Amino acid sequence: MGKVSVIAYITVAVLLLFLISHSPKKPPNQRHRRIKLRSSFSYYGGGDERHHHEPVAFDPLVAEIERRREDKQWEKMYIEHAHKDLVEEAPGAESQPEWEEFMDAEDYLNDEDKFNVTNRLVLLFPKLDVGPPDGYVTEHELTQWNLKQSEKVVMHRTQRDMELHDKNRDGFVSFAEYVPPSWVRNSDNTSFGYDMGWWKQEHFNASDADGDGLLNITEFNDFLHPADSKNPKLLQWLCKEEIRERDTDKDGKVNFKEFFHGLFDFVRNYDEEAHNSTHESDDSMEAPARKLFAQLDKDGDGYISHTELLPIIGKLHPSEHYYAKQQAEYIITQADADKDGRLTLTEMIESPYVFYSAIFNEDEEDYEYHDEFR
Ligand SMILES: *[C@@H]1O[C@H](CO)[C@@H](O)[C@H](O)[C@H]1NC(C)=O
Ligand SMILES: *[C@@H]1O[C@H](CO)[C@@H](O)[C@H](O)[C@H]1NC(C)=O
Ligand SMILES: *[C@@H]1O[C@H](CO)[C@@H](O)[C@H](O)[C@H]1NC(C)=O
Ligand SMILES: *[C@@H]1O[C@H](CO)[C@@H](O)[C@H](O)[C@H]1NC(C)=O
Ligand SMILES: *[C@@H]1O[C@H](CO)[C@@H](O)[C@H](O)[C@H]1NC(C)=O
Ligand SMILES: [Ca+2]
Ligand SMILES: [Ca+2]
């Protein structure tokens, strides 16, 4: 990490101090709720994205704190692995990190004198209510907001990865520069998408939209998140990878059996989450699977080729937009008190913890327990 990052940390810290010292004073209530910062993330967005997707913080201020914590974790992990010998010479020195300043950040978020969720929502509402600004936040507005927040987080991670790979610091990643670090290579293969051929040159080439042999930040971000890319070459590559992965008899194509016992489950799960249908048994799913297979098999040769897979690739690899919409739908079902399908500022203020992820403690004692731990 360079000087720029250090300066960025300091700037944010000063900003936070400013906010703390200028917040209005109010008596605390709702002591049983506690806003939690999230601490887990995966180092490479790569292949495991469809298995678990962390929702992004609703409030940019919370996101900023989480981002700084993640950077610290990342930096520590990177330094540990880049200088393994150094760390091993000092056993136990950093084995149990205590993120004290982030504990403080969590305290800050939970101190209503300092971080008043009502005031935050009042402040944020006009930023959400933009299309059009009519006093209601619709599912679409909320989706766009969520998407903007998650794109910021994703791009930040990409920039961090870029710093790691762009060894000659020219702002581009060449294929030669793109050697996965040893700690990625040595870790669990499947979780980093080795089975997806993640590190292959073909993937790199497909991400290189203008074909100059180098990936700029946009292309590198696409490389790491192909499902969110608009680059047709990359989407085609993703389809090819999917076919390769599902082609169990290795004849280069996907037949109905391979489709039914693999791809179709993903499509079904996707549609279920979108349309809230009930779970069906394997037998009863065969007919709809055959129907979809026939629709996709445009040339009717009894196999799905990678071009025939393109219409459903978004269901196999859900995009950030999909998750942003899912999160928006969830928030609205939780906070829409009058059930008109949209949120007023009052509705939002009445359910603040739908927006601020919180753990719920039954009673005061539980709260004290957490208090002691800090
Ligand atoms: C937050 O601020 C609002 C308006 O300034 C006030 O009415 C409310 O009591 C405050 N809430 C808390 C929990 O301090
Ligand atoms: C991951 O896969 C590579 C190549 O297929 C292999 O050399 C390596 O030992 C594997 N690593 C683990 C931890 O399974
Ligand atoms: C990727 O592109 C380079 C030229 O830019 C070419 O030499 C290489 O063979 C390509 N690799 C694959 C797997 O397509
Ligand atoms: C990266 O290159 C692509 C063309 O491949 C271009 O569309 C994009 O604007 C470039 N991004 C930046 C940040 O320069
Ligand atoms: C799905 O529908 C059932 C009833 O049809 C309802 O009880 C349930 O809450 C719905 N789930 C979601 C996630 O919408
Ligand atoms: Ca470079
Ligand atoms: Ca409403």
Side-chain angles (χ1 to χ4, degrees):
M1 290 274 135
K3 277 190 182 130
V4 179
S5 313
V6 175
I7 290 165
Y9 290 143
I10 292 169
T11 311
V12 172
V14 168
L15 202 96
L16 276 178
L17 276 174
F18 178 82
L19 280 166
I20 290 166
S21 57
H22 285 75
S23 300
K25 293 262 175 273
K26 276 285 154 189
N29 58 13
Q30 280 191 296
R31 291 211 121 215
H32 54 293
R33 296 275 200 177
R34 183 160 172 80
I35 298 173
K36 288 280 285 178
L37 288 168
R38 283 153 301 188
S39 58
S40 64
F41 73 101
S42 65
Y43 291 89
Y44 280 84
D48 62 343
E49 219 143 67
R50 62 183 158 190
H51 300 305
H52 38 80
H53 185 274
E54 278 267 316
V56 169
F58 169 80
D59 187 328
L61 189 59
V62 177
E64 182 59 39
I65 295 170
E66 289 182 348
R67 198 148 57 222
R68 284 191 304 129
R69 173 156 71 175
E70 189 184 295
D71 280 348
K72 282 221 142 188
Q73 281 177 288
W74 185 89
E75 210 172 332
K76 184 175 174 294
M77 179 146 172
Y78 172 60
I79 289 167
E80 250 176 31
H81 284 85
H83 310 284
K84 236 187 164 90
D85 310 340
L86 249 158
V87 173
E88 276 161 12
E89 272 168 26
E94 294 235 42
S95 57
Q96 274 297 306
E98 287 181 39
W99 304 106
E100 274 180 35
E101 59 185 289
F102 295 106
M103 294 291 203
D104 291 347
E106 220 167 66
D107 284 350
Y108 165 75
L109 292 178
N110 286 281
D111 187 335
E112 279 140 2
D113 288 343
K114 295 167 182 163
F115 189 81
N116 178 319
V117 290
T118 304
N119 291 345
R120 285 301 297 169
L121 289 170
V122 169
L123 190 81
L124 294 175
F125 189 84
K127 298 184 184 184
L128 277 104
D129 180 24
V130 290
D134 57 359
Y136 298 99
V137 165
T138 60
E139 186 190 301
H140 178 71
E141 285 169 333
L142 195 50
T143 301
Q144 292 307 113
W145 173 264
N146 292 341
L147 185 59
K148 208 166 69 185
Q149 305 314 312
S150 68
E151 279 174 351
K152 264 194 271 182
V153 173
V154 167
M155 189 45 90
H156 176 77
R157 289 177 185 166
T158 297
Q159 263 156 356
R160 209 173 47 195
D161 280 356
M162 186 118 179
E163 261 184 72
L164 177 61
H165 292 291
D166 178 17
K167 298 188 183 69
N168 70 0
R169 309 237 163 248
D170 65 352
F172 299 95
V173 176
S174 66
F175 187 66
E177 283 175 328
Y178 197 76
V179 181
S182 60
W183 49 274
V184 170
R185 267 178 285 150
N186 294 335
S187 61
D188 174 26
N189 275 347
T190 50
S191 74
F192 286 112
Y194 264 90
D195 54 340
M196 299 284 295
W198 222 242
W199 314 111
K200 283 184 204 152
Q201 194 172 14
E202 202 185 325
H203 176 198
F204 183 95
N205 284 5
S207 309
D208 182 15
D210 61 3
D212 68 351
L214 301 167
L215 303 187
N216 68 13
I217 186 79
T218 319
E219 292 167 336
F220 189 53
N221 189 53
D222 284 354
F223 175 83
L224 296 175
H225 308 280
D228 290 299
S229 172
K230 303 265 183 296
N231 173 356
K233 269 201 295 183
L234 194 52
L235 290 173
Q236 202 177 66
W237 170 84
L238 197 57
C239 292
K240 277 189 192 163
E241 278 305 300
E242 198 63 56
I243 296 284
R244 257 184 288 227
E245 194 188 344
R246 300 298 162 190
D247 176 23
T248 43
D249 66 6
K250 301 287 168 214
D251 65 350
K253 298 168 286 188
V254 163
N255 59 32
F256 178 73
K257 205 171 136 224
E258 290 161 344
F259 173 78
F260 189 42
H261 297 291
L263 292 174
F264 186 63
D265 286 334
F266 282 113
V267 177
R268 185 155 57 116
N269 287 340
Y270 180 97
D271 287 343
E272 256 170 28
E273 278 180 44
H275 301 125
N276 187 19
S277 64
T278 50
H279 235 80
E280 305 281 349
S281 69
D282 237 34
D283 283 348
S284 64
M285 289 320 286
E286 180 152 351
R290 286 209 181 272
K291 195 171 155 221
L292 179 62
F293 188 89
Q295 275 169 12
L296 294 171
D297 181 18
K298 288 272 187 297
D299 64 3
D301 68 349
Y303 298 98
I304 304 290
S305 67
H306 72 268
T307 43
E308 288 169 341
L309 200 62
L310 198 58
I312 58 160
I313 195 69
K315 294 185 181 186
L316 304 173
H317 297 267
S319 64
E320 287 296 333
H321 183 270
Y322 170 78
Y323 293 111
K325 188 165 183 289
Q326 198 179 47
Q327 202 178 342
E329 282 167 0
Y330 172 76
I331 284 175
I332 289 183
T333 60
Q334 296 300 303
D336 182 18
D338 69 1
K339 302 287 168 213
D340 70 346
R342 53 194 188 172
L343 301 179
T344 60
L345 178 57
T346 312
E347 284 173 330
M348 284 172 68
I349 288 170
E350 277 163 8
S351 307
Y353 290 96
V354 175
F355 302 91
Y356 292 89
S357 48
I359 54 168
F360 185 80
N361 291 327
E362 291 297 318
D363 49 37
E364 235 7 72
E365 256 172 50
D366 243 330
Y367 182 82
E368 302 298 342
Y369 172 80
H370 282 279
D371 224 33
E372 281 168 9
F373 252 66
R374 289 182 272 127

